[in-house]
Amino acid sequence: KLNILKIMNTTTTTTPKKQKKKVKIRLARKQIQKKREYTQVREEGGLEYNIWYHRRVGQYRTKDESDAAIPAKYRCNIVRDAGWTKGCEKKDAFFCLYFARGYCAEGHKCGYLHRIPTKRDELKLPLSHDCFGRERFATDRNDMGGVGSFHRESKTLYVGNLKNIPGVHLDDTLRRHFREWGKLVYIRSFPEQCKAFIRFDLRSCAEFAKEAMWRQALDDDEIIDIKWAADDDDEMAPAVFLHEKR
């Protein structure tokens, strides 16, 4: 009985449990406050579906997106715009095309991913689709635009309509503008011809960069032309080319 009383009278001290630190999740930013208003132009023709341009002949399209001479109004800024979206809750979510182009009005409510692709994303990405969920095709378009072919890696971009300015190192300019979209393997520029070839480590990053830099300017108000390189092979790059380390 005495032992029982001793146990009952003994005050037990419990050590407080460590509280888990709340991890702040950064929500994706709305790049624009309301959805874009489109100036629409009707294409000529019937209602046949054009597999190269992802629309039916006769479908409405935007005037600014069809004219390569008009500079892009928006540009994605990964540091400022990227963050959590509803797409992060999905198992196999694709990346937001509007986010890449700089004008997603959904912010964290978007059902697609608002960030740049990673190696993990690349491993899950089927050859039949690009990182935005668009179907790829057996052959490239004649103008080397579009989503590309599933018969090759499509990691190398052709960038044209550049400016050759004396005293400006074109490789440095291109590296500064394109490394935001992922790890670069090499940059091969031809200043006299105002063109360059840029290869990414991941196909998905090349796809993202192609959309993000379409009709963008670098440092001198040029409107760059960007499409897939006809020769997409590591052998294009001699050992002297820069290997970007991030």
Side-chain angles (χ1 to χ4, degrees):
K1 291 181 180 179
L2 290 172
N3 290 336
I4 292 170
L5 289 171
K6 282 181 182 180
I7 293 168
M8 290 176 65
N9 292 329
T10 304
T11 57
T12 57
T13 56
T14 56
T15 55
K17 292 181 180 180
K18 289 183 179 179
Q19 292 183 352
K20 291 182 179 180
K21 289 183 179 179
K22 290 183 178 180
V23 180
K24 282 188 176 182
I25 298 175
R26 176 180 168 178
L27 300 180
R29 172 182 171 272
K30 279 188 177 183
Q31 293 169 305
I32 57 174
Q33 293 306 310
K34 61 180 182 178
K35 291 183 179 180
R36 295 180 67 198
E37 294 179 1
Y38 293 99
T39 305
Q40 294 183 328
V41 185
R42 191 168 182 82
E43 296 177 344
E44 296 179 358
L47 294 175
E48 294 85 4
Y49 186 74
N50 189 319
I51 63 172
W52 305 111
Y53 293 92
H54 294 289
R55 57 169 62 95
R56 293 191 181 278
V57 179
Q59 180 180 341
Y60 282 108
R61 59 186 170 85
T62 62
K63 186 177 180 181
D64 60 341
E65 287 179 346
S66 65
D67 193 346
I70 299 176
K73 188 177 179 180
Y74 306 98
R75 178 165 173 171
C76 178
N77 184 318
I78 292 295
V79 175
R80 180 189 63 193
D81 300 337
W84 184 92
T85 63
K86 285 186 177 179
C88 297
E89 297 176 341
K90 297 179 181 179
K91 184 179 179 181
D92 296 315
F94 289 104
F95 291 82
C96 179
L97 180 62
Y98 295 151
F99 168 73
R101 292 176 177 173
Y103 52 78
C104 182
E106 298 295 329
H108 69 277
K109 295 180 181 179
C110 183
Y112 295 86
L113 302 176
H114 281 211
R115 56 177 176 80
I116 58 172
T118 63
K119 183 72 174 178
R120 187 176 179 181
D121 299 317
E122 181 93 346
L123 293 173
K124 295 189 296 181
L125 189 65
L127 287 173
S128 58
H129 290 74
D130 71 358
C131 69
F132 303 107
R134 301 176 299 185
E135 287 187 12
R136 302 169 79 208
F137 302 102
T139 56
D140 289 291
R141 261 173 31 184
N142 290 336
D143 63 357
M144 298 304 290
V147 295
S149 167
F150 54 70
H151 282 304
R152 62 197 191 98
E153 288 187 306
S154 298
K155 293 181 180 180
T156 308
L157 299 173
Y158 165 89
V159 183
N161 202 30
L162 300 170
K163 287 187 178 180
N164 182 17
I165 300 173
V168 176
H169 201 266
L170 187 56
D171 281 16
D172 291 340
T173 303
L174 291 167
R175 189 181 313 116
R176 179 161 37 85
H177 282 273
F178 277 86
R179 67 184 176 187
E180 181 178 5
W181 317 118
K183 183 180 178 182
L184 302 176
V185 176
Y186 67 77
I187 296 173
R188 185 180 185 183
S189 63
F190 301 86
E192 299 80 10
Q193 301 175 33
C194 298
K195 69 179 183 181
F197 294 93
I198 301 174
R199 185 173 178 87
F200 283 84
D201 185 49
L202 302 177
R203 167 173 66 92
S204 51
C205 288
E207 292 167 346
F208 195 100
K210 181 176 176 293
E211 294 296 338
M213 294 301 292
W214 169 242
R215 295 185 293 117
Q216 295 289 348
L218 300 184
D219 294 341
D220 299 288
D221 297 327
E222 66 275 59
I223 303 172
I224 64 172
D225 178 27
I226 186 166
K227 50 193 175 184
W228 297 115
D231 235 353
D232 198 355
D233 196 341
D234 281 326
E235 293 179 1
M236 281 180 63
V240 295
F241 288 152
L242 167 72
H243 285 259
E244 187 78 8
K245 292 183 180 179
R246 288 173 62 102

